[in-house]
Amino acid sequence: MKIDLFQIGNFHVHGYGFMIGIGFLLALALGCMRAKKLGLKDESVIYGGIIAGVLAAWIYCKVKKLVFLEYFDLIMPEVALAQGFGRIGCFLAGCCYGRETTAAWGITFPADSMAPAGIKLIPTQLLSAAGDFLIAAILIWIAHRFLYQQKKLITGDIGSIYLLLYGIGRFLIEFLRNDYRGAVGFLSTSQFISVFIVALGITLMVYHRKKKRVK
């Protein structure tokens, strides 16, 4: 809706980048706070988790001889939080827009937006943001309710649940989007990838339990 939020001299602050920055900082702060509560190293969140991503976090934990799954569980709620702010950034830029609608809650984007102007569109960016924030809240609640109290869940479950929830949510929201994102057969590219994300979440959850029984 608003590509440039404000301007300082010749420096333009874009809504998308601004929201990405806010999401990153809040995710970083939340991750460090939760790390201390779990007795993990908060600097490992900074260098091995949110900044470099899951793959780099795995490599970092291997090098530092840390338990990766503990940090995987730790950073995924923060990843969901950052994604939510990223989607708000998408809304401000007009990308990732939805299908045309006559509903009262439809959004009309301005002419300088990346979305088609002058017609009501489903605000898929805001729906995605709400879903991401909800996932972050659910994961934190589950961690507090079960993992912190050593009940039922095992290490790695929080990350697996994130993959399940995000994959399902992304698959469903794709039905409402109308921007071009490629296709694989009758599925959009994002839906195709989401199927594997959900499958990975289920696989990890099953694998962790089998591995625990073997021990």
Side-chain angles (χ1 to χ4, degrees):
M1 294 294 286
K2 191 173 179 59
I3 295 178
D4 292 337
L5 288 182
F6 55 89
Q7 181 178 350
I8 302 175
N10 293 325
F11 181 72
H12 294 263
V13 177
H14 300 294
Y16 182 77
F18 184 73
M19 286 300 167
I20 290 290
I22 288 179
F24 171 78
L25 292 175
L26 288 177
L28 189 61
L30 178 61
C32 290
M33 180 181 70
R34 294 181 62 237
K36 290 178 180 178
K37 187 171 183 179
L38 285 167
L40 302 176
K41 296 180 179 180
D42 54 357
E43 67 269 21
S44 297
V45 177
I46 299 173
Y47 297 114
I50 298 172
I51 290 178
V54 174
L55 178 59
W58 179 80
I59 296 172
Y60 180 85
C61 288
K62 285 292 184 182
V63 172
K64 295 294 184 179
K65 293 182 172 55
L66 302 172
V67 181
F68 167 72
L69 288 179
E70 292 181 351
Y71 290 91
F72 182 56
D73 283 341
L74 173 66
I75 67 173
M76 296 324 288
E78 288 72 53
V79 168
L81 177 66
Q83 285 176 319
F85 280 96
R87 286 303 179 185
I88 294 177
C90 290
F91 175 73
L92 295 175
C95 60
C96 308
Y97 54 86
R99 298 181 181 277
E100 187 173 348
T101 181
T102 57
W105 46 272
I107 298 293
T108 302
F109 288 86
D112 62 347
S113 174
M114 296 175 66
I119 56 175
K120 278 188 176 183
L121 302 175
I122 299 173
T124 47
Q125 310 96 327
L126 298 183
L127 294 176
S128 295
D132 289 331
F133 291 143
L134 180 61
I135 289 173
I138 290 173
L139 294 179
I140 292 172
W141 179 82
I142 290 175
H144 179 76
R145 180 69 178 82
F146 297 99
L147 191 60
Y148 293 166
Q149 299 178 27
Q150 301 297 312
K151 294 180 180 179
K152 295 181 181 179
L153 293 185
I154 61 176
T155 303
D157 277 353
I158 298 299
S160 298
I161 293 171
Y162 163 82
L163 295 174
L164 287 170
L165 294 179
Y166 177 77
I168 292 171
R170 185 59 188 269
F171 186 92
L172 295 176
I173 201 71
E174 286 291 304
F175 288 112
L176 303 179
R177 283 177 59 174
N178 201 36
D179 56 316
Y180 179 74
R181 340 175 266 295
V184 179
F186 61 91
L187 298 176
S188 72
T189 303
S190 298
Q191 286 178 320
F192 182 75
I193 295 173
S194 294
V195 170
F196 288 95
I197 291 175
V198 172
L200 178 60
I202 295 173
T203 300
L204 289 176
M205 193 170 287
V206 172
Y207 172 74
H208 296 157
R209 276 160 174 72
K210 285 186 176 179
K211 189 175 180 180
K212 186 175 181 181
R213 282 200 296 268
V214 170
K215 291 181 179 181

